[in-house]
Amino acid sequence: MTSVDQMTVFRQYLSLLPIKQLACLERNSIYSKMYDDGLLKTFILANLFKWENLRMIEAGIRSEPEIQKELDVDSFSTGQLSRRLTMLNTGDLSQILYHLADKYRSITKGSKGLNPKVGKLAIIDSSSIRLPLNALDWTALSKDYCGVKIHLRLVVVRADSVFPDAMIPSTANITDIEAVNHLIVDEDATYLMDRGYGEKTKMGGWLARKIKFVVRVKSNFTVETLKELPKGSEQVLKHEIVSIKTMPTPVKLVEFKDNEGTRFRIITSRLDLTDLEIMETYKNRWLIELFFKWLKQHVKISHLYSRSPVGIWNQLYIALITFGLIEIYRLLTYPNVTAATFLRNIRLYLLKTWAEVKKNEFERTPQFKTEGRKSTRGHPVKARSYGENHAIVDPISRK
């Protein structure tokens, strides 16, 4: 039997997929080539290899016998890929993401969160993806803009790791507040949200369900002050126990300014937290913005393979599954390496063995020691060569 270290990196990565239901013979009996599990692997590999369109995927499959062996197919046309993407059951992909999230929870069991007193954070937000104007007939937000949205719940249980454990895709005209209750299910987490979710009716429902939340609200959000509390910092403008009137249950209001003078109003059901702890908790909302940026840069969800609604939803789920596998793979092997570095290394060695990537990247000992960059202060400035024989240069300094 081939040892784990001698397996190719991409085979090891794909082996973490919980895809028994997609490989079922009965559900795949209508296909002459490539079962649904192979199709999912194809689009995951497209994310890893940076195959940005269907033609590149077709050529990528054709170019590597090792990939053909894993997918059990020697070729696949762009038309077949497009049709099959729209035929995948979105519910199955949602379940796979759920199973990966369950695996992630077992790996990180015992983690105390960013702050042990706050515990597990679940950050909720959305991100838009613009579509070409030929999709105006079903995704129009205005006559000049059409697109779709990812409504996401990002779980944070430790400082060095986040995980997208639930997602609701929608057309761009669906507001954040319309989608939020599809993502609030776990009563153990504290939900962290921005102004788009600060609605009294929704908050009343969360209080009735005993949901823990920290939500930024708009300046016109009215409350009734029940008790003023001492402030823990000059940045804090208000620290009060208040009522939002839709529910008699008291909540806490913290109003503060950041270093740039921007004003924030936070409503939370976490009466046990101090004003400074609430401020620090809210600052972690930026993690979901960084995650969306990372996802769009590294998994390329901005380039969609399909214009069909189901095809788009499926691609979005596959993007999150791709990240979920990366994060689980990283935590199981080299948790001290950042997700970006880990992804870069496995991308470089996808067709190599795991032993090679370990030796050459993750466990490499630098061969040369340097004294570091030396200061140039006090040394004469070297004349800069502009290569005038090969370029037109008109140097202008900032001064």
Side-chain angles (χ1 to χ4, degrees), residues 35-278:
Y35 285 2
D36 282 348
D37 60 324
L39 188 70
L40 175 58
K41 289 178 180 180
T42 298
F43 284 103
I44 289 174
L45 289 177
N47 287 329
L48 292 178
F49 281 107
K50 294 187 176 181
W51 296 335
E52 295 187 352
N53 54 57
L54 295 176
R55 290 194 180 280
M56 287 184 70
I57 297 175
E58 178 191 10
I61 294 173
R62 199 168 54 243
S63 68
E64 289 294 342
E66 187 75 14
I67 293 174
Q68 295 170 19
K69 186 177 178 181
E70 174 67 21
L71 303 179
D72 195 25
V73 67
D74 56 0
S75 65
F76 220 67
S77 72
T78 57
Q80 288 172 312
L81 287 168
S82 179
R83 286 192 300 274
R84 289 288 300 278
L85 180 61
T86 64
M87 294 169 69
L88 270 177
N89 187 323
T90 308
D92 288 337
L93 299 181
S94 175
Q95 278 298 305
I96 288 171
L97 182 62
Y98 173 82
H99 288 307
L100 289 176
D102 199 44
K103 175 74 172 175
Y104 178 80
R105 283 189 286 269
S106 69
I107 294 172
T108 57
K109 189 176 181 180
S111 297
K112 305 289 186 183
L114 298 177
N115 179 338
K117 188 175 176 182
V118 177
K120 181 171 77 172
L121 275 181
I123 311 174
I124 294 177
D125 206 349
S126 68
S127 183
S128 298
I129 301 170
R130 187 165 189 158
L131 295 182
L133 293 181
N134 58 14
L136 276 170
D137 61 331
W138 69 280
T139 65
L141 190 60
S142 70
K143 65 177 183 178
D144 300 316
Y145 180 91
C146 61
V148 294
K149 264 186 179 180
I150 301 175
H151 301 269
L152 187 72
R153 182 175 71 226
L154 190 73
V155 170
V156 185
V157 293
R158 48 195 280 181
D160 62 345
S161 180
V162 298
F163 198 91
D165 74 336
M167 186 263 287
I168 299 292
S170 77
T171 50
N173 60 345
I174 300 299
T175 62
D176 293 346
I177 202 67
E178 290 178 86
V180 66
N181 277 349
H182 293 281
L183 299 170
I184 296 182
V185 293
D186 185 357
E187 295 180 1
D188 293 332
T190 295
Y191 289 90
L192 180 56
M193 293 165 274
D194 206 16
R195 285 178 293 189
Y197 302 93
E199 185 182 276
K200 289 188 178 183
T201 304
K202 286 289 191 294
M203 286 186 187
W206 301 336
L207 289 169
R209 292 169 55 192
K210 295 183 168 51
I211 295 294
K212 294 177 285 188
F213 61 85
V214 175
V215 183
R216 184 182 178 188
V217 295
K218 298 177 182 178
S219 58
N220 60 358
F221 189 96
T222 58
V223 296
E224 179 184 352
T225 301
L226 303 177
K227 182 182 178 181
E228 292 188 2
L229 299 172
K231 305 178 185 72
S233 164
E234 291 182 357
Q235 284 184 290
V236 179
L237 306 175
K238 285 185 181 180
H239 182 206
E240 300 173 344
I241 300 295
V242 301
S243 167
I244 61 172
K245 300 181 181 179
T246 55
M247 278 288 287
T249 309
V251 293
K252 186 173 278 194
L253 167 69
V254 174
E255 193 169 319
F256 66 94
K257 282 186 178 181
D258 65 9
N259 294 332
E260 296 177 357
T262 305
R263 204 178 186 102
F264 295 84
R265 300 183 78 217
I266 310 296
I267 295 285
T268 179
S269 60
R270 294 293 304 267
L271 302 183
D272 59 314
L273 299 180
T274 67
D275 52 349
L276 298 183
E277 288 169 334
I278 291 165

Side-chain angles (χ1 to χ4, degrees), residues 311-357:
I312 291 173
W313 311 149
N314 287 345
Q315 184 178 343
L316 296 178
Y317 269 110
I318 291 169
L320 295 182
I321 290 168
T322 302
F323 174 85
L325 288 172
I326 291 167
E327 190 60 9
I328 289 171
Y329 199 13
R330 181 182 75 87
L331 292 177
L332 289 174
T333 53
Y334 292 95
N336 294 328
V337 175
T338 66
T341 300
F342 190 84
L343 175 58
R344 182 198 68 201
N345 287 342
I346 66 171
R347 267 182 168 152
L348 290 171
Y349 289 83
L350 279 169
L351 296 170
K352 307 287 187 181
T353 64
W354 182 241
E356 290 176 274
V357 69

